[in-house]
Amino acid sequence: MTTPLLDVENLTISYRIGKRWIPAVRDFHLQLAPGHVVGLVGESGSGKSTVALALMRYLSSNGRVESGGRLAFAGEDLLSKSAAEMRSIWARRVKLVPQNAGAALNPSLKIGAQVIEVLYAAMGIGGAEAEQAVLGMFHDVNLVDPEKVADRYPHELSGGMQQRVVIAMALITNPELLILDEPTTGLDVTTEAVILDLVRGLMAERDTGVIYITHNLGVVAQLCERVLVLYAGEIMEEAPVDQLYAQPRHPYSLGLLNSVPRLGQSKADSRLHSISGNPPALAQLSSGCVFADRCEFVIDKCRVDKPPLEQLGDGRAVRCFRWEEVDASFLDPSVETSYQSSFHGDGEEQPGRQIDNEVGDKLMRVTDLKKHFPVAKSLGDWLRGKTPAPIRAVDGVNLTLGAGQTLGLVGESGSGKTTLSRLIIGLQERSGGQLELLGMDIRNSVRERSPDVLSKLQMVFQNPQNSLNPYLSVRQALRRPLVKLRDMTPAQAEAEVSELLRRVNLREDYADRFPDELSGGEKQRVVIARAFASDPDLIICDEPVSALDVSVQSAVLNLLARLQEEHGTAYLFISHDLAVVGYLSDVIAVMYLGQLFEVGAASDLFQPPYHPYTEALVSAIPVADPEHKAERMLLHDVLPSAQHLPSGCRFHTRCPRKIGAVCEEEAPPWREVDAGHAIRCHIPLEELSAQQRSFLRPEEIG
Amino acid sequence: MNPSSFGRQIAALRRFAGVLLRHPQSALGTALVFFFLFVAVFGAQLAPYANPNDQSHAPRVSPTMDIGALQLGEHPFGTDRLGRDVYSRVILGAGSIFRIAGLGTLISVLVGSAVGLYMGYRGGWFDELLGRVIDALLAIPALLLALVLVGIIRNLDFEIGSWQAELADNVVLLVIAVLYVPVVARVARSSALDIKTREFVEAAEIRGEPTYYIIFREILPSVIPALVVEASLRFSYAIFLVASLGFLGFGARPPSPDWGLMVNENRGGFYQLTPWALDFPALAIAILVIAVNLMSDGIRRAVQKGN
Amino acid sequence: MLKFLRRRFVFFVFTYLISSLMIFFLLRVLPGDPARVIAGGREATVEQVAQIRSELGLNAPVPQQYVNWLGSFLRGDWGKTIAFRGADNRELITQRSINSARLALVALLLSVPLSLVLGIIAGLRENKLPDVIISLLTLSVVSLPEFVTGLFLINIVALRWGRSELAGALGWWFPSSSAVPANASFGEMLPALWLPAFAATLVLLAYISRLTRAGVIEELKRDYVRTAALKGIPYRSVILRHVLRNALLPTVTVIAISITWLISGLVVIEYVFGFPGLGSLLIAAIERRDLLLVQAIVMVSVTVILFTNLFADLAYAALNPRIKLG
């Protein structure tokens, strides 16, 4: 390697909080050669976006790069550049693709004008020549109908299209360095797969050096050559991607890799490994290793001295005193890691309890459930005297759920899964259909339901931040359902609060804390405790871990699995993450545009035959295994609107396996694969099986 | 209330006061407002002549105050053309402006928040209808409405001592309360609309909590910061409105020591004779309005920082 | 867009009906007999009151009265004044409205550009010296009641400077009073106009500039501003093309709302300066208990405000690409 494209050494970045400067990123190193892709992985607060902005020299006014570091781009020292010099570098040589493409585009300028502006700033090209270049670039990022896109405003494009526009804006000047900051976060898996594919294709053709920032280990495995693992502002480990996944050298990397459920892994087989505790607060870092408090390999020395970033050769580096001993066998995946490292609940149970799909008592039956949202008449409708079609968010769903089972519900956003869950819990009123719980009909909305029914149905929400009232203490939050739904006396409730906290692995003194004194994971534990307080039979979990960091997710999943075993509670588990759903579910239902298209046991769902939509969802998952670069089945186009549904099979507009006119004209039949597994498709099952392949890794089959 | 939540509230208040007072402008404003409040409460003790309409002094005496020598003299702000002590009148006038603006604001905030919270949480036809009425009310400029209301009510004949007459005497206070109810309701409503989509409210609904519990226990605490800001803003507008109505002759009746009225009584040709009789009450109004503005700006800033 | 138009129009009609209803009932249903008030309170004889009752149509049922009244208002039949020697209400109000509009126009022309500039400067230099100065100014001096600033202007400018030699040399720019004949032409009125217009300008300045500042600060934090800066275009372009384009969009609405403010402010200002506008007419009408005139003036004000709001909504929709589909 002669002159690297980017050479960063000993970079420290601080933020001003009050009157102090807090170093958010410390001792950062990075070498990048042209044409290579390096991944920067970290949880929220790890400082990865700060690094991106510092590399661009675009820190906000309360941030600064401390002196003593080195930041060289193509041999030039960026830290000594003037504002004007930086502007010319920004104009064509270094580009950033930001996280939220929708917000990154000016809402009041047409797309074309915004991209032309880039060309003009970079090379002074304007007019027809620039327009041609922009259209060409739009074509390269697979935007259908470039002229039309250029003539639109940002809000008229879908999230995936906005992301392509932002990528086109970055690549149009053919930059030497491209920084992608979580470009697919917030997009559906299916859209994410398409964008990742696009980025990979575009990178292969160019000599651009790429830094890809993400929290998703799967994305890194699929896209990058080398990976830097960032934690609390420091590099923990650097390694070529295949080596990192095969043999991580840092306890944090090891823990992270093991805490993500693999596709096909089930709660019945094993608990997930989880990292205890929370990332440290930046303002109170100890002199020792930043990971010491959460590390299973910790020794006394770690708490006092900070380990250096040790170069191991072969492009590997690690910041740990005991890296030679770090080994996956050290981890005991069968024991649920207690949340507080100092505290162990007595709920350590034997994993592997089998839940019998067939025998389970019927807990709930959903029959032909519908939710149609009426659409207000437009002036045209009004004059013509017609009523517009309603939005059919949920359109005839049938489900049965056995006691103590988990039913996983998957689908893209807009598929109606959240609406379905809200109909069941009673936060929205259904337009038609029946709901039966333990053989009794239950009413439409929570307002009409008896306390008995209310106590049997509870919910865990996606966003722990908003799930707890910031003005009520944990004790108040937990006591209320006990008093309200279980008729407890204050003294009984008091005792039960402690018991509930113990069950979710929180210390008793958490009862007097307020939500702002809890981390995200702790909040979600309190929310789970609150849901269990009324001793329900069914808990609806709407994306309960998606707002949590990877290292905290697995602990919450383990907790849910254990509580289910202890209480025999059924879950309706909604998630966009198929691996997570697969891990926790006994039965999975796949939803598309308000209807179910496949229902089956979790173990069956990742093997052929699948419904083509399921196949696309499963293949789109970025698997955290560099060896596993599967051919994807990409879904182009966007989800059609639930107001103007496609005729025949609702999936036909996007189906890669569409067989002909029958798909457009007739609603597909349910075909039974075996007991409890059915697919709604025109293609005969044998044909599906013959065309499809498994996405499980060989060792996980059988 | 348990001790930990009480402690938290004290701490939050202390943080709030810290932010408010650290900013020099808002600290000054707050200090001045409290100074005026002190004058308003202890006016009778502070004024050298307890009767504001005592005409026994020599008329048209120039202010005897000497700032350099720190002396007030017999008539610090002079006397007006009728021989009334301007200093005593200004001090005694502070009480009514605080009482009218303060109570009016308080009533409007209490009623307005209750109405707005209910509208925002329940939604539906009630919210729709009341929302329209509020929009329509807000289309009429506050001062115009106040003038019309005060003008009419004051011209009605009531038996002296009857409750109607009592009400008519407090007409400005009532008008302020009535005018600001829809404004406060709108703020409370939009905050409630925001908070009610939070999952903790849904969790309460899933528990089957009654409406009053959800509104007062779950939603209200989160809305209070916005209401505090709105209340301070309303108070500053109320002071403004009381002074303006007084000046236009629609507030207190002569010979009350109302600041706005005093300004009006001494303008025009009289200004040439006794400029101080206009200048000092006008100055009092100016300083109070500025102080309340600075304070409410500081409150807004402190509340935003607290969130 | 059509849907938007329709919604705004329905809203407009509805609001108009409700406000007219409120104005009507305020003046008719409140305790006390309006006919007696008009006839002169306690001294009025029973016959006088009865005559006024029948003249005003007060013997019909109240809903009927409302319909009659709104109908004749919309037709332009606003009755005769009692207070101003039986002049026609409509002519009186039209003449005074024109005068007020002149005053408002001068005030808007002065205040809008000035407050936009101040607001933008303050927003771009948030918490820096220019912002602190501008904020302090708008918070304090400029937010004083109109009559305080108005009297200050009269006492200092008109009474003191107006008699100076300089003022004599400048001629008509220093009139001793703003009390001009109500039927004067714009040119004749101009010298009397600038002092009250300046007072009105101060009223608006605080309001518009503070909202503009808030808009600029909010837009500066947006992601797309970073995108624009990282395109490598000059700072000036980032601000003009990206920040202000979005920050000034709501200004249309702000100006419309400020007209509501201005109408209140003008009442006081016209009274202070003795200017023959709609506001001073309103005060006189209330003082002389001319209920029909009061009703008509308030209705005219509400009409102006609602039309301004409607116009602002339409302008906002036309300028904002995000609304077109809605």
Side-chain angles (χ1 to χ4, degrees):
Chain A
M1 214 188 291
T2 50
T3 315
L5 179 64
L6 195 64
D7 183 11
V8 186
E9 262 172 50
N10 204 12
L11 198 69
T12 296
I13 309 157
S14 303
Y15 280 112
R16 193 182 58 225
I17 297 169
K19 285 187 174 121
R20 287 171 62 201
W21 285 90
I22 309 286
V25 173
R26 297 165 303 280
D27 190 21
F28 185 80
H29 296 257
L30 174 68
Q31 257 88 34
L32 179 65
H36 286 261
V37 183
V38 60
L40 204 56
V41 192
E43 303 176 79
S44 58
S46 62
K48 54 192 194 300
S49 290
T50 302
V51 169
L53 292 177
L55 295 183
M56 300 285 295
R57 287 269 329 270
Y58 194 76
L59 287 169
S60 53
S61 59
N62 64 340
R64 70 176 183 207
V65 172
E66 302 291 344
S67 58
R70 180 176 144 75
L71 171 53
F73 168 66
E76 300 172 57
D77 178 19
L78 281 191
L79 293 175
S80 62
K81 295 275 184 208
S82 70
E85 286 168 323
M86 273 322 295
R87 261 206 295 280
S88 81
I89 290 177
W90 289 337
R92 59 188 306 176
R93 300 177 67 192
V94 185
K95 289 287 175 186
L96 175 77
V97 174
Q99 185 170 137
N100 183 350
L105 293 168
N106 187 335
S108 60
L109 281 178
K110 287 188 177 172
I111 296 288
Q114 299 194 42
V115 188
I116 287 175
E117 195 179 33
V118 177
L119 274 181
Y120 188 78
M123 345 185 167
I125 306 174
E129 192 189 345
E131 262 169 54
Q132 278 312 310
V134 168
L135 296 181
M137 192 67 228
F138 280 2
H139 183 78
D140 291 349
V141 295
N142 293 337
L143 276 166
V144 188
D145 212 347
E147 284 91 352
K148 250 193 196 151
V149 172
D151 199 38
R152 289 200 177 149
Y153 289 99
H155 70 279
E156 298 171 305
L157 304 182
S158 70
M161 286 163 90
Q162 290 172 339
Q163 195 59 60
R164 280 171 226 232
V165 168
V166 174
I167 290 172
M169 266 166 97
L171 288 181
I172 198 164
T173 63
N174 222 338
E176 294 157 56
L177 173 65
L178 180 66
I179 301 175
L180 296 137
D181 186 4
E182 302 242 26
T184 59
T185 306
L187 299 178
D188 267 311
V189 216
T190 47
T191 318
E192 176 178 69
V194 175
I195 298 282
L196 288 181
D197 214 53
L198 174 73
V199 171
R200 197 177 6 213
L202 289 169
M203 289 310 118
E205 300 163 6
R206 288 162 204 260
D207 213 17
T208 304
V210 178
I211 299 175
Y212 195 99
I213 297 172
T214 180
H215 67 280
N216 188 327
L217 291 163
V219 170
V220 177
Q222 299 302 306
L223 208 65
C224 304
E225 295 153 354
R226 275 190 310 135
V227 188
L228 293 170
V229 180
L230 215 56
Y231 179 80
E234 288 174 21
I235 296 174
M236 295 289 109
E237 179 164 10
E238 177 182 1
V241 74
D242 44 342
Q243 290 184 34
L244 179 78
Y245 287 77
Q247 195 186 23
R249 286 297 192 194
H250 194 281
Y252 176 63
S253 323
L254 179 70
L256 267 191
L257 286 169
N258 280 291
S259 61
V260 184
R262 291 182 310 280
L263 205 54
Q265 193 181 351
S266 161
K267 64 184 174 186
D269 314 330
S270 58
R271 288 285 178 264
L272 298 168
H273 172 70
S274 68
I275 304 173
S276 62
N278 294 297
L282 277 179
Q284 301 141 8
L285 290 178
S286 70
S287 63
C289 173
V290 287
F291 189 59
D293 284 344
R294 303 176 74 187
C295 184
E296 294 182 46
F297 295 81
V298 66
I299 49 176
D300 291 344
K301 185 178 159 81
C302 301
R303 301 193 192 275
V304 186
D305 298 326
K306 184 184 284 297
L309 188 63
E310 200 174 327
Q311 299 294 332
L312 311 181
D314 293 341
R316 296 201 70 161
V318 63
R319 192 188 291 279
C320 181
F321 293 123
R322 300 182 67 192
W323 62 269
E324 282 165 297
E325 301 157 57
V326 171
D327 193 304
S329 62
F330 194 91
L331 303 177
D332 180 1
S334 68
V335 179
E336 180 187 343
T337 311
S338 161
Y339 191 63
Q340 294 293 319
S341 46
S342 58
F343 171 79
H344 282 270
D346 58 359
E348 286 156 19
E349 67 298 309
Q350 290 306 307
R353 183 186 149 214
Q354 286 292 316
I355 293 170
D356 196 333
N357 264 339
E358 302 298 305
V359 187
D361 299 335
K362 287 288 169 279
L363 173 70
M364 188 171 71
R365 184 194 295 275
V366 174
T367 320
D368 199 25
L369 197 62
K370 286 188 177 128
K371 178 66 185 178
H372 294 181
F373 294 99
V375 174
K377 286 183 190 178
S378 68
L379 187 61
D381 293 330
W382 205 52
L383 293 175
R384 271 176 261 129
K386 70 170 198 189
T387 313
I391 292 170
R392 288 184 265 180
V394 173
D395 201 17
V397 169
N398 295 295
L399 272 177
T400 39
L401 180 56
Q405 278 195 333
T406 303
L407 174 76
L409 195 58
V410 296
E412 293 165 281
S413 56
S415 59
K417 49 191 199 306
T418 293
T419 309
L420 177 60
S421 74
R422 293 172 70 85
L423 295 179
I424 294 174
I425 198 80
L427 286 172
Q428 255 161 8
E429 298 190 19
R430 54 187 185 257
S431 319
Q434 270 96 51
L435 270 178
E436 249 174 61
L437 186 72
L438 292 168
M440 49 183 184
D441 266 346
I442 55 174
R443 302 252 190 162
N444 237 333
S445 94
V446 277
R447 289 182 202 290
E448 302 163 357
R449 292 183 183 174
S450 66
D452 193 37
V453 172
L454 291 172
S455 69
K456 289 192 166 72
L457 271 176
Q458 281 298 319
M459 184 150 178
V460 174
F461 303 89
Q462 172 170 13
N463 185 351
Q465 183 63 37
N466 284 342
S467 299
L468 293 172
N469 190 331
Y471 294 90
L472 296 180
S473 68
V474 170
R475 183 188 308 283
Q476 290 167 311
L478 294 181
R479 199 166 46 191
R480 189 69 192 172
L482 294 172
V483 174
K484 178 90 190 156
L485 294 175
R486 280 170 70 185
D487 294 325
M488 287 194 174
T489 64
Q492 286 171 319
E494 206 60 39
E496 185 65 18
V497 166
S498 311
E499 172 61 21
L500 282 170
L501 286 174
R502 198 186 57 76
R503 266 189 253 157
V504 295
N505 290 346
L506 288 176
R507 284 196 315 267
E508 229 170 283
D509 62 285
Y510 272 63
D512 289 316
R513 294 204 186 180
F514 282 80
D516 60 358
E517 296 161 327
L518 305 176
S519 70
E522 288 167 335
K523 279 185 202 139
Q524 201 62 315
R525 280 161 191 274
V526 175
V527 173
I528 290 170
R530 183 178 65 190
F532 272 93
S534 66
D535 202 11
D537 293 310
L538 172 62
I539 296 180
I540 292 176
C541 304
D542 187 359
E543 303 261 10
V545 294
S546 65
L548 303 176
D549 270 321
V550 184
S551 73
V552 183
Q553 275 186 13
S554 56
V556 172
L557 289 175
N558 283 342
L559 176 70
L560 285 169
R562 173 167 65 75
L563 290 171
Q564 180 169 51
E565 284 188 0
E566 289 172 8
H567 295 259
T569 314
Y571 294 145
L572 176 65
F573 192 92
I574 299 174
S575 178
H576 66 280
D577 186 333
L578 266 85
V580 166
V581 174
Y583 173 74
L584 215 61
S585 302
D586 302 294
V587 180
I588 295 181
V590 181
M591 199 166 177
Y592 184 78
L593 284 177
Q595 291 183 335
L596 300 185
F597 278 80
E598 181 166 1
V599 179
S603 50
D604 294 340
L605 220 76
F606 300 111
Q607 290 180 67
Y610 331 79
H611 187 278
Y613 181 56
T614 316
E615 186 185 6
L617 283 180
V618 176
S619 81
I621 305 170
V623 179
D625 180 358
E627 305 292 307
H628 185 91
K629 282 176 180 157
E631 194 63 23
R632 291 172 195 286
M633 190 168 111
L634 297 175
L635 285 189
H636 294 285
D637 286 342
V638 289
L639 196 71
S641 108
Q643 190 185 1
H644 307 290
L645 291 163
S647 60
C649 174
R650 290 181 181 181
F651 187 53
H652 85 252
T653 54
R654 299 168 78 195
C655 184
R657 297 200 186 277
K658 184 175 151 187
I659 49 175
V662 64
C663 296
E664 294 172 25
E665 287 156 10
E666 282 175 45
W670 278 104
R671 297 177 191 270
E672 190 153 298
V673 183
D674 42 47
H677 184 194
I679 293 173
R680 197 185 215 180
C681 186
H682 286 294
I683 309 173
L685 296 173
E686 306 77 55
E687 276 181 43
L688 277 177
S689 299
Q691 292 169 9
Q692 295 169 328
R693 43 177 291 276
S694 172
F695 290 97
L696 295 181
R697 282 183 287 180
E699 72 269 20
E700 280 159 9
I701 302 177
Chain B
M1 182 180 297
N2 66 37
S4 72
S5 96
F6 183 70
R8 271 171 66 85
Q9 276 162 11
I10 297 290
L13 261 176
R14 208 174 269 162
R15 258 201 319 276
F16 173 81
V19 177
L20 180 64
L21 298 179
R22 201 169 314 134
H23 207 263
Q25 287 108 291
S26 29
L28 177 70
T30 311
L32 281 171
V33 170
F34 275 94
F35 168 73
F36 275 101
L37 185 64
F38 178 80
V39 171
V41 172
F42 298 102
Q45 285 75 41
L46 293 169
Y49 307 100
N51 177 6
N53 300 315
D54 179 1
Q55 299 188 7
S56 60
H57 314 285
R60 298 193 297 275
V61 175
S62 307
T64 57
M65 180 176 62
D66 186 342
I67 294 175
L70 284 174
Q71 279 174 349
L72 286 175
E74 196 181 352
H75 297 295
F77 295 173
T79 62
D80 66 7
R81 62 180 193 276
L82 299 175
R84 295 178 294 192
D85 180 48
V86 176
Y87 181 67
S88 299
R89 286 176 68 77
V90 169
I91 287 177
L92 292 165
S96 72
I97 200 166
F98 264 92
R99 186 179 64 86
I100 295 171
L103 276 181
T105 307
L106 189 70
I107 295 172
S108 67
V109 168
L110 291 181
V111 178
S113 356
V115 172
L117 285 173
Y118 188 76
M119 285 171 74
Y121 175 63
R122 281 321 288 267
W125 65 268
F126 177 78
D127 175 39
E128 191 69 24
L129 185 74
L130 215 57
R132 287 294 101 87
V133 173
I134 286 177
D135 284 334
L137 252 175
L138 294 180
I140 310 177
L143 183 75
L144 257 62
L145 206 54
L147 281 175
V148 172
L149 281 172
V150 176
I152 293 166
I153 294 174
R154 290 223 313 205
N155 280 335
L156 299 170
D157 297 311
F158 294 115
E159 267 177 58
I160 292 164
S162 69
W163 64 270
Q164 290 105 323
E166 197 74 24
L167 277 186
D169 281 344
N170 287 306
V171 59
V172 177
L173 193 161
L174 289 175
V175 163
I176 285 176
V178 170
L179 282 181
Y180 291 157
V181 162
V183 186
V184 176
R186 200 143 89 155
V187 172
R189 174 181 177 272
S190 70
S191 309
L193 275 181
D194 174 29
I195 302 294
K196 88 165 179 185
T197 60
R198 305 265 166 97
E199 287 86 343
F200 62 81
V201 176
E202 299 193 326
E205 286 175 343
I206 289 170
R207 283 202 301 275
E209 298 285 3
T211 302
Y212 76 87
Y213 179 91
I214 294 182
I215 289 180
F216 290 108
R217 201 83 181 107
E218 300 283 350
I219 296 181
L220 179 65
S222 304
V223 178
I224 281 179
L227 288 177
V228 167
V229 172
E230 189 55 29
S232 73
L233 200 64
R234 282 305 119 210
F235 182 60
S236 71
Y237 285 133
I239 296 261
F240 193 105
L241 195 62
V242 173
S244 296
L245 284 175
F247 170 76
L248 293 174
F250 289 82
R253 289 173 208 259
S256 304
D258 179 86
W259 294 348
L261 187 65
M262 287 161 76
V263 170
N264 194 16
E265 282 170 342
N266 292 292
R267 69 194 189 108
F270 301 120
Y271 186 67
Q272 313 288 335
L273 288 172
T274 53
W276 50 85
L278 184 151
D279 287 342
F280 286 106
L283 200 65
I285 293 170
I287 295 175
L288 179 58
V289 169
I290 292 174
V292 173
N293 262 317
L294 292 176
M295 181 179 78
S296 85
D297 192 55
I299 288 176
R300 185 181 51 78
R301 203 194 316 265
V303 166
Q304 275 171 359
K305 229 174 204 161
N307 285 357
Chain C
M1 189 70 187
L2 274 176
K3 207 158 127 195
F4 176 81
L5 276 179
R6 186 175 69 99
R7 248 203 354 253
R8 297 312 311 178
F9 184 73
V10 170
F11 173 77
F12 173 83
V13 172
F14 196 85
T15 314
Y16 200 82
L17 282 180
I18 294 196
S19 10
S20 66
L21 206 64
M22 282 190 297
I23 293 164
F24 174 79
F25 276 94
L26 275 182
L27 295 168
R28 286 290 154 88
V29 178
L30 275 172
D33 183 352
R36 175 175 292 275
V37 175
I38 290 170
R42 281 187 185 167
E43 301 85 51
T45 64
V46 180
E47 292 78 32
Q48 280 172 317
V49 174
Q51 196 200 341
I52 288 175
R53 284 190 75 84
S54 69
E55 268 175 32
L56 294 177
L58 289 181
N59 294 322
V62 174
Q64 178 71 43
Q65 286 184 36
Y66 168 70
V67 174
N68 289 347
W69 168 75
L70 188 64
S72 48
F73 178 82
L74 292 176
R75 278 196 309 275
D77 172 15
W78 301 348
K80 297 213 180 300
T81 72
I82 294 152
F84 294 85
R85 293 183 297 280
D88 186 59
N89 274 343
R90 192 167 58 141
E91 279 172 26
L92 194 60
I93 290 174
T94 312
Q95 187 188 54
R96 297 298 197 92
S97 299
I98 291 171
N99 292 345
S100 285
R102 289 169 176 168
L103 188 51
L105 185 73
V106 177
L108 283 172
L109 285 178
L110 284 173
S111 61
V112 171
L114 186 60
S115 47
L116 288 186
V117 169
L118 288 179
I120 290 168
I121 292 175
L124 293 178
R125 299 270 175 276
E126 192 193 353
N127 293 335
K128 301 269 162 51
L129 190 65
D131 178 34
V132 171
I133 292 172
I134 292 171
S135 296
L136 205 58
L137 266 176
T138 52
L139 258 184
S140 55
V141 181
V142 170
S143 53
L144 287 174
E146 299 85 1
F147 71 90
V148 176
T149 38
L151 284 174
F152 176 81
L153 289 173
I154 291 177
N155 294 340
I156 301 300
V157 180
L159 294 183
R160 190 162 305 164
W161 296 351
R163 292 194 186 131
S164 68
E165 279 174 37
L166 180 72
L170 287 171
W172 56 266
W173 281 105
F174 283 93
S176 55
S177 153
S178 296
V180 288
N183 57 359
S185 72
F186 190 54
E188 291 167 335
M189 206 172 266
L190 205 52
L193 219 53
W194 79 270
L195 220 49
F198 186 66
T201 300
L202 292 182
V203 175
L204 294 180
L205 202 60
Y207 187 66
I208 305 180
S209 67
R210 287 177 69 78
L211 283 173
T212 307
R213 171 183 180 270
V216 170
I217 289 173
E218 197 181 318
E219 292 302 322
L220 276 176
K221 289 182 188 144
R222 304 248 185 229
D223 280 6
Y224 68 78
V225 176
R226 181 179 70 191
T227 309
L230 288 180
K231 282 175 181 173
I233 57 179
Y235 178 75
R236 195 166 39 90
S237 306
V238 175
I239 298 301
L240 289 177
R241 214 170 128 80
H242 294 276
V243 177
L244 292 188
R245 197 185 178 91
N246 290 293
L248 294 187
L249 255 182
T251 312
V252 186
T253 320
V254 169
I255 292 171
I257 301 171
S258 70
I259 286 178
T260 313
W261 272 55
L262 188 58
I263 287 181
S264 282
L266 282 186
V267 173
V268 182
I269 290 168
E270 288 173 5
Y271 178 78
V272 173
F273 287 90
F275 181 83
L278 200 60
S280 49
L281 183 69
L282 174 70
I283 290 180
I286 296 175
E287 280 172 346
R288 297 179 201 181
R289 305 171 182 189
D290 190 343
L291 292 188
L292 277 181
L293 185 55
V294 172
Q295 273 178 337
I297 293 174
V298 180
M299 276 305 282
V300 167
S301 311
V302 169
T303 312
V304 169
I305 287 166
L306 286 178
F307 267 110
T308 323
N309 286 347
L310 183 69
F311 179 75
D313 280 340
L314 297 184
Y316 183 72
L319 293 172
N320 190 343
R322 270 167 293 185
I323 286 186
K324 281 216 175 88
L325 286 181

